[in-house]
């Protein structure tokens, strides 16, 4: 999923900070190395470019009163490092003649079709997503950050704060309110919690406050252990369950794959509408069309001057490649649609209408489940 990019890109920002921590007393020109992971992160999530000034502030905090000239030189070197990977990517796109396709699909489509306005009550949605996905870690990381006040860890504190702000800004700029767009906060809160535990346990201060700090550190460790244990129980253990104990969905997908493999050849095509990419993958059948991300593709309208032609291409590919099987996810159908009246529905996404017209003319129901229907092409 696209949301995976947030958490992967955040680890690249952490990598930039790690490089900067090793080079912070070096000449500014060596800071080009610190910009490299940031540049790659920006390729994955462009909104993470917001971290660049925080990276510079971190370097300044770790350097003894740098002159204006040296500060400008450091900013220039970080910027150069940040642009290296994007320039390599652009050069490769020009060399392989794929840059135009990337620009159309990755930039123009997002801006012209998939663009979302900022949701109402954005801060409320933010806290709802945090509460839903990692509330305990948010509280723990925020509380532990109160111990990041020592001058000795100022560099690390600014870097962590900058990465947290970058992730939150990215969430609001994307404007879709998806919880996984906050995935970048998870490693940052975890680092804040671990660092806060260490700082609290070894905190220097008045003798009366030392036991309090150590008690809080022990409390933080307990919360962290309980939280991680719960996460492992809910998110990792299920992947190691007995293979014979399958969920209803696992059984359905296995049945679909078995039918497709038994009644089609390697050269036959397959198409799925919805979210069941695993059925398409496990069946080892090529897609009948390049438009496989149907939830996004369903946003295209025929009157769109740039992307309306995609619908005509979609229709031609279905007609020419003649998929042997079509899997329809009923949960993606507009409200009120029924399998029995698929050809009679006039409202809904244009792409779905094209698919259903093909189904009505050329396909019959092979098997149906509670939320899926598998169609097979008529002989």
């Amino acid at each position: 999923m696209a949301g995976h990019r947030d958490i992967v890109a955040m680890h690249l920002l952490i990598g930039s900070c790690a490089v900067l921590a090793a080079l912070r007393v070096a000449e500014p020109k060596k800071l080009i190395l610190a910009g490299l992971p940031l540049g790659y992160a920006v390729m994955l999530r462009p909104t993470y470019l917001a971290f660049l000034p925080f990276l510079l502030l971190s370097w300044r905090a770790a350097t003894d009163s740098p002159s204006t000239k040296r500060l400008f030189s450091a900013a220039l070197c970080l910027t150069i490092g940040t642009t290296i990977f994007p320039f390599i990517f652009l050069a490769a796109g020009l060399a392989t003649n794929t840059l135009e396709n990337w620009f159309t699909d990755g930039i123009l489509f997002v801006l012209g079709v998939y663009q979302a306005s900022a949701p109402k009550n954005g801060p409320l949605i933010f806290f709802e997503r945090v509460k839903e996905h990692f509330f305990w870690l948010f509280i723990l990381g925020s509380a532990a950050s109160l111990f990041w006040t020592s001058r000795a860890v100022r560099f690390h504190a600014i870097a962590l704060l900058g990465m947290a702000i970058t992730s939150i800004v990215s969430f609001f700029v994307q404007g879709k309110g998806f919880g996984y767009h906050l995935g970048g906060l998870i490693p940052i809160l975890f680092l804040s919690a671990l660092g806060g535990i260490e700082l609290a346990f070894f905190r220097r201060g008045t003798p009366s406050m030392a036991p309090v700090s150590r008690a809080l550190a022990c409390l933080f460790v307990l919360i962290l252990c309980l939280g991680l244990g719960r996460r492992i129980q809910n998110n990792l253990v299920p992947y190691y369950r007995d293979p014979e104990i399958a969920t209803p969905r696992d059984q359905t997908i296995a049945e679909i794959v078995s039918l497709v493999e038994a009644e089609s050849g390697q050269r036959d095509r397959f198409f799925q509408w919805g979210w069941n990419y695993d059925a398409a993958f496990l069946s080892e059948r090529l897609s009948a069309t390049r438009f496989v991300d149907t939830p996004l593709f369903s946003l295209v309208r025929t009157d769109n001057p740039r992307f309306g032609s995609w619908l005509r291409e979609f229709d031609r590919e279905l007609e020419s490649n003649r998929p042997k099987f079509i899997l329809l996810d009923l949960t993606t159908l507009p409200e009120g649609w029924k399998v029995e009246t698929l050809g009679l529905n006039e409202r809904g996404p244009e792409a779905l209408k094209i698919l259903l017209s093909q189904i009505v003319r050329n396909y019959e129901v092979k098997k149906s489940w509670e939320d899926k229907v598998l169609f097979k092409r008529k002989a």
Side-chain angles (χ1 to χ4, degrees):
M1 295 292 292
H4 294 165
R5 293 183 293 168
D6 295 84
I7 195 166
V8 171
M10 183 56 70
H11 283 86
L12 289 169
L13 297 192
I14 295 172
S16 281
C17 295
V19 173
L20 192 63
L23 299 175
R24 55 186 173 180
V25 296
E27 287 301 314
K29 62 182 180 181
K30 294 185 179 180
L31 300 184
I32 292 176
L33 295 174
L36 291 175
L38 173 58
Y40 204 96
V42 170
M43 291 172 59
L44 295 175
R45 180 60 74 195
T47 48
Y48 277 21
L49 183 60
F51 182 63
L52 180 59
F54 290 103
L55 196 60
L56 181 62
L57 284 175
S58 299
W59 176 82
R60 186 182 184 280
T63 307
D64 294 331
S65 302
S67 63
T68 303
K69 180 179 179 180
R70 195 158 184 257
L71 185 62
F72 177 79
S73 178
L76 180 62
C77 291
L78 281 175
T79 302
I80 291 173
T82 301
T83 60
I84 288 177
F85 273 127
F87 272 121
I88 292 175
F89 171 81
L90 292 175
L94 288 172
T96 57
N97 199 30
T98 56
L99 193 59
E100 182 179 358
N101 289 339
W102 166 79
F103 185 74
T104 300
D105 297 357
I107 304 298
L108 296 181
F109 180 82
V110 172
L111 295 178
V113 178
Y114 193 48
Q115 184 69 17
S117 58
K120 296 180 180 179
N121 302 320
L124 179 60
I125 292 177
F126 167 77
F127 286 109
E128 285 179 350
R129 297 296 174 265
V130 167
K131 181 180 178 180
E132 179 182 358
H133 294 288
F134 46 87
F135 182 68
W136 69 272
L137 185 58
F138 182 80
I139 296 298
L140 177 61
S142 300
S145 68
L146 298 177
F147 290 93
W148 287 78
T149 55
S150 171
R151 186 177 180 85
V153 295
R154 185 172 57 176
F155 164 82
H156 307 82
I158 293 176
L160 280 177
L161 178 63
M163 287 186 282
I165 292 175
T166 297
S167 181
I168 295 172
V169 168
S170 177
F171 173 81
F172 283 104
V173 170
Q174 291 179 76
K176 297 179 177 67
F178 298 150
Y180 53 73
H181 285 165
L182 286 171
L185 277 179
I186 295 174
I188 302 309
L189 291 170
F190 195 77
L191 287 174
S192 176
L194 290 177
I197 289 170
E198 180 182 0
L199 291 168
F201 195 82
F202 296 103
R203 183 180 178 86
R204 294 180 180 180
T206 59
S208 60
M209 290 301 297
V212 176
S213 296
R214 290 192 178 94
L216 286 174
C218 293
L219 177 62
F220 291 163
V221 170
L222 178 62
I223 294 173
L224 188 61
C225 291
L226 291 175
L228 285 176
R230 188 68 172 169
R231 279 289 180 177
I232 292 172
Q233 178 185 2
N234 293 337
N235 299 94
L236 294 181
V237 172
Y239 287 97
Y240 295 93
R241 64 177 182 269
D242 188 336
E244 296 182 359
I245 305 176
T247 65
R249 185 185 182 281
D250 291 338
Q251 295 173 344
T252 300
I253 295 299
E255 200 171 346
I256 293 170
V257 171
S258 179
L259 285 170
V260 173
E261 289 180 338
E263 302 186 25
S264 66
Q266 287 289 336
R267 294 190 176 184
D268 288 322
R269 300 297 183 102
F270 175 86
F271 183 74
Q272 73 88 27
W273 178 280
W275 302 98
N276 300 288
Y277 302 107
D278 49 353
F281 175 78
L282 295 172
S283 299
E284 297 184 352
R285 301 293 185 266
L286 291 177
S287 174
T289 172
R290 70 185 180 101
F291 302 107
V292 295
D293 194 342
T294 54
L296 284 182
F297 186 51
S298 64
L299 300 176
V300 177
R301 298 172 55 89
T302 53
D303 57 359
N304 188 300
R306 183 179 296 275
F307 299 103
S309 61
W310 283 9
L311 294 169
R312 295 187 290 274
E313 180 184 347
F314 177 60
D315 193 18
R316 289 195 303 269
E317 288 182 332
L318 289 178
E319 191 66 44
S320 61
N321 291 325
R322 300 162 60 91
K324 192 67 172 285
F325 286 96
I326 292 177
L327 178 62
L328 184 63
D329 187 340
L330 300 181
T331 63
T332 64
L333 297 181
E335 186 177 356
W337 282 41
K338 297 180 179 180
V339 177
E340 296 79 6
T341 57
L342 286 180
L344 304 177
N345 294 286
E346 298 181 355
R347 56 187 177 83
E350 299 295 333
L352 182 57
K353 293 178 184 178
I354 292 172
L355 177 66
L356 296 182
S357 68
Q358 290 278 347
I359 290 176
V360 170
R361 295 197 312 269
N362 304 313
Y363 291 82
E364 59 188 3
V365 175
K366 177 63 180 179
K367 189 165 184 177
S368 61
W369 295 265
E370 182 179 355
D371 58 351
K372 301 176 185 64
V373 180
L374 182 65
F375 295 93
K376 184 179 181 182
R377 193 172 183 88
K378 297 176 184 176

